[in-house]
């Protein structure tokens, strides 16, 4: 799952993600959606970020009930990490070198639930290969980010808007928002 502002940005000027304010209600929704997934697919950076926090988040007395629940979900969920730098990844993860459309289509055919995609570079590769079937848009009242605060965009310049903006397309059709 990748949090992206409506204008296509996902991080602030110094790589920070603090504009993404997730309260317990939103976290409970994410838990419900993500617990039903068949696997989490992400890039190295996202996996390392998640692996640095979630495996033991439920041991922290400051963790909320939804955080404790997500720690369990994250640990148990099968993961595919797309990386050319990692040889191994812990926490029920398999490292795959490249996004190969035929392999992703085989994964989609497996029983067990949808696949959750996380990480800007992996999401961009999936968009390039037209592998994203559904984008879920949520209005999060706590998300405070302006264009001036953002530096890095998921969308790539030089493509028609419908090709670079996942909110404008869903398998070749405008996505419902």
């Amino acid at each position: 799952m990748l949090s992206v502002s409506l204008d296509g940005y996902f991080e602030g000027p110094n790589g920070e993600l603090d504009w993404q304010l997730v309260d317990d209600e939103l976290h409970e929704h994410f838990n419900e959606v993500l617990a039903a997934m068949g696997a989490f697919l992400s890039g190295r950076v996202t996996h390392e970020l998640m692996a640095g926090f979630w495996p033991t988040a439920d041991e922290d007395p400051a963790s909320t009930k939804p955080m404790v629940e997500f720690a369990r979900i994250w640990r148990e969920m099968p993961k595919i990490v797309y990386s050319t730098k990692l040889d191994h990844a812990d926490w029920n993860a398999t490292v795959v070198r490249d996004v190969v459309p035929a392999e992703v289509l085989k994964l989609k055919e497996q029983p067990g639930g949808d696949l959750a995609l996380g990480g800007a570079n992996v999401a961009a590769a999936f968009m390039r290969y037209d592998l994203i079937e559904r984008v879920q848009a949520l209005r999060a009242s706590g998300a405070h980010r302006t264009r001036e605060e953002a530096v890095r965009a998921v969308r790539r310049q030089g493509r028609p808007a419908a090709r670079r903006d996942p909110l404008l397309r869903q398998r070749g059709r405008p996505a419902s928002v």
Side-chain angles (χ1 to χ4, degrees), residues 21-140:
L21 304 178
V22 180
D23 62 15
D24 281 352
E25 181 182 9
L26 184 57
H27 210 301
E28 288 170 359
H29 171 74
F30 288 157
N31 289 353
E32 182 180 328
V33 170
L34 293 173
M37 295 291 153
F40 293 163
L41 284 60
S42 67
R44 177 189 56 84
V45 173
T46 298
H47 179 76
E48 288 176 344
L49 179 71
M50 301 293 276
F53 181 77
W54 289 111
T56 59
D58 54 350
E59 298 170 10
D60 184 344
S63 290
T64 64
K65 184 180 175 197
M67 291 173 69
V68 168
E69 180 183 353
F70 185 73
R72 179 193 54 76
I73 293 167
W74 190 85
R75 280 193 308 264
E76 295 174 5
M77 185 66 62
K79 297 166 204 65
I80 295 177
V81 180
Y82 291 95
S83 174
T84 57
K85 295 181 180 179
L86 291 179
D87 291 319
H88 173 77
D90 292 323
W91 303 108
N92 201 15
T94 301
V95 175
V96 175
R97 294 283 171 232
D98 296 302
V99 175
V100 178
E103 292 176 9
V104 174
L105 294 173
K106 285 181 187 177
L107 279 174
K108 287 180 173 187
E109 293 173 2
Q110 300 289 325
D114 290 338
L115 305 173
L117 184 60
N121 293 332
V122 173
F126 271 63
M127 286 190 298
R128 233 181 352 266
Y129 294 121
D130 198 28
L131 294 169
I132 298 175
E133 291 182 7
R134 184 177 64 231
V135 174
Q136 182 179 15
L138 297 173
R139 182 183 173 273

Side-chain angles (χ1 to χ4, degrees), residues 2-11 19-20 138 143-147 150 152-155 165-167:
L2 178 66
S3 296
V4 180
S5 64
L6 287 176
D7 56 356
Y9 294 91
F10 68 92
E11 68 183 7
W19 67 272
Q20 303 173 35
L138 297 173
H144 304 291
R145 208 215 45 71
T146 65
R147 181 177 292 277
R152 192 166 171 200
V154 171
R155 60 185 172 190
D165 190 343
L167 293 175

